[in-house]
Amino acid sequence: MEKLRIMSVFGTRPEAIKMCPLVQELANREGIESLCCVTAQHRQMLDSVLEVFQVKPDWDLDIMTPRQTLSTITSKCLTGMDEAIDALKPDMILVHGDTSTTFAGALSAFYHQVSVGHVEAGLRTYDKYSPFPEEMNRKLVSAIADLYFCPTANNRANLEREGITKGLFVTGNTVIDALKTTVRPDYRFSTEELNQLPYGEKKIVLVTCHRRENYGEPMKNIMLALRQIAEENRDVELVYPVHLSPVVRESVDKYLRGAPRVHLIDPLAADEMHNLMARSAFVMTDSGGLQEEAPALGRPVLVLRHRPREPRPGHQVPHLDAAGRRRRLDGRSFLRRLPQHDLRRIGGLRGNIRQRVHTHDLAYRNTCDGGVVYFALCRLSRNHTPVRNGRSMYSAVRLYRSVGSQNDSEGRPWRQQKSVRRIRNTYCRYRRPCPDVR
């Protein structure tokens, strides 16, 4: 029986962190030949992630150039993907998220009439310039894709409102798989400066800032605000792995370098970043990936962006209302309230953090993420059948997660509701071991 050839395409560090677990899971499936094509939109930072997860690409476009523009990234991806698709002949191409690599990979697949699966589909801000260019990349890929793997039910609802009703799957977020691989309590950093930080004695604040939408005046204001926090709070240590972008480095050197209790270091490998995040008291970032990873580790987040990554009605995420207004980053007022901050309102995964993380963990531990994706992919070919009871198994997971963070009409917590217990019991008939509903 001929194997289904699935090619995963990515090119940036955040994409690689989330796609490498999927590449590995697909490779473990007997009916699938897992292929990997990287564009190297981020060369050095991408390679560090590939090394951590021990993933070897089948095709490397190596497109990165100094001070590259969106136009050069997109055009090089398109021309490079022509050769990769002709040589590897995939049955389906998986792209992730909303980068220029994602858009170019999906468009090239469309030109070659190859089916497209969009991992992390359905994120929306409904402002085409924020985030830029990611918001338009998401929408354009949604118009091309055949299968949509949505992290949350809210993402699925976004697509349904846009008239996309077929090929939708709520699979959770693959960053959970990555964190399980990388975070360890006995981890030792390769950078000695990180090993010597006063974890537990002072508030270690992890900072990242690199997005294009923050270039210019917003980034200047953010850097000055970070300097103010460091100067006015002796019990705070800022750790900033500085992005390799020349624009970012120039701003850091001009406004932040030399400030007390600020540790400016080179970008970290994925495993080092995850372990540093796990030991930090607080995270300040404009990274969409860190907005999801930090809450999964129980760390509060302040989003350094004009808009949060994916706003939801009725849920407010603390963020900069004008992309860097210093008055919103008053270290004295914010950091002193940090221990009392309500985690239900400051994480990328809205809702009760502990419950939501548990349901995410449940979905990944018992369906292995790749198992859900595999079930969807099997439907593309008559020669491949879903895993046993795959439809029922997936439905139970979906229902379990959809009610997992809700209270019933009488206000009882979700884990006490009869409906959850019934779904749990139904779920357990199809997959063991039975998830521990605590």
Side-chain angles (χ1 to χ4, degrees), residues 358-422:
H358 176 74
T359 54
H360 271 254
D361 180 66
L362 169 72
Y364 283 104
R365 184 174 67 243
N366 292 280
T367 66
C368 301
D369 176 67
V372 175
V373 175
Y374 174 64
F375 165 65
L377 295 178
C378 286
R379 301 178 63 185
L380 297 175
S381 171
R382 295 181 180 179
N383 297 327
H384 294 81
T385 56
V387 294
R388 184 178 181 182
N389 293 320
R391 182 182 297 276
S392 299
M393 177 187 71
Y394 177 72
S395 298
V397 175
R398 179 180 59 192
L399 289 170
Y400 186 94
R401 295 187 65 252
S402 68
V403 302
S405 60
Q406 304 297 323
N407 290 343
D408 64 6
S409 58
E410 298 179 15
R412 289 176 297 184
W414 65 276
R415 52 175 74 91
Q416 297 178 13
Q417 296 175 33
K418 292 181 179 179
S419 59
V420 174
R421 293 199 296 271
R422 183 168 59 249

Side-chain angles (χ1 to χ4, degrees), residues 173-318:
N173 198 315
T174 52
V175 74
I176 304 299
D177 299 80
L179 292 173
K180 287 183 176 181
T181 303
T182 57
V183 177
R184 301 190 300 273
D186 59 345
Y187 186 86
R188 186 166 181 82
F189 300 99
S190 60
T191 304
E192 191 58 31
E193 184 177 2
L194 297 180
N195 292 320
Q196 297 176 358
L197 288 174
Y199 303 104
E201 300 175 10
K202 291 187 176 182
K203 295 173 183 175
I204 306 300
V205 178
L206 174 61
V207 180
T208 73
C209 182
H210 68 278
R211 300 194 69 84
R212 289 177 182 270
E213 64 197 74
N214 280 335
Y215 284 5
E217 189 68 17
M219 187 164 291
K220 171 187 174 181
N221 290 338
I222 289 171
M223 296 304 154
L224 292 175
L226 293 173
R227 189 180 190 101
Q228 177 186 348
I229 289 173
E231 291 174 347
E232 296 180 0
N233 297 271
R234 294 182 177 275
D235 62 337
V236 171
E237 299 269 345
L238 299 183
V239 182
Y240 186 175
V242 184
H243 197 276
L244 295 177
S245 165
V247 176
V248 176
R249 295 202 159 227
E250 288 170 5
S251 183
V252 169
D253 290 341
K254 185 174 182 179
Y255 300 110
L256 190 58
R257 191 172 296 279
R261 294 175 292 281
V262 174
H263 306 268
L264 302 176
I265 60 178
D266 288 333
L268 298 174
D271 56 342
E272 298 216 325
M273 177 64 84
H274 290 166
N275 282 278
L276 177 58
M277 201 183 316
R279 301 182 189 185
S280 299
F282 183 50
V283 177
M284 303 171 69
T285 184
D286 61 0
S287 165
L290 265 65
Q291 290 176 49
E292 299 165 340
E293 294 164 0
L297 294 169
R299 298 297 177 263
V301 180
L302 177 67
V303 181
L304 306 179
R305 294 169 69 171
H306 179 65
R307 292 176 182 270
R309 187 166 187 254
E310 184 205 3
R312 289 176 57 188
H315 294 82
Q316 297 298 321
V317 181

Side-chain angles (χ1 to χ4, degrees), residues 12-29:
T12 67
R13 180 181 182 275
E15 288 175 292
I17 291 173
K18 295 182 179 181
M19 288 296 280
C20 282
L22 182 55
V23 171
Q24 293 172 329
E25 181 63 32
L26 291 173
N28 293 331
R29 303 287 173 167

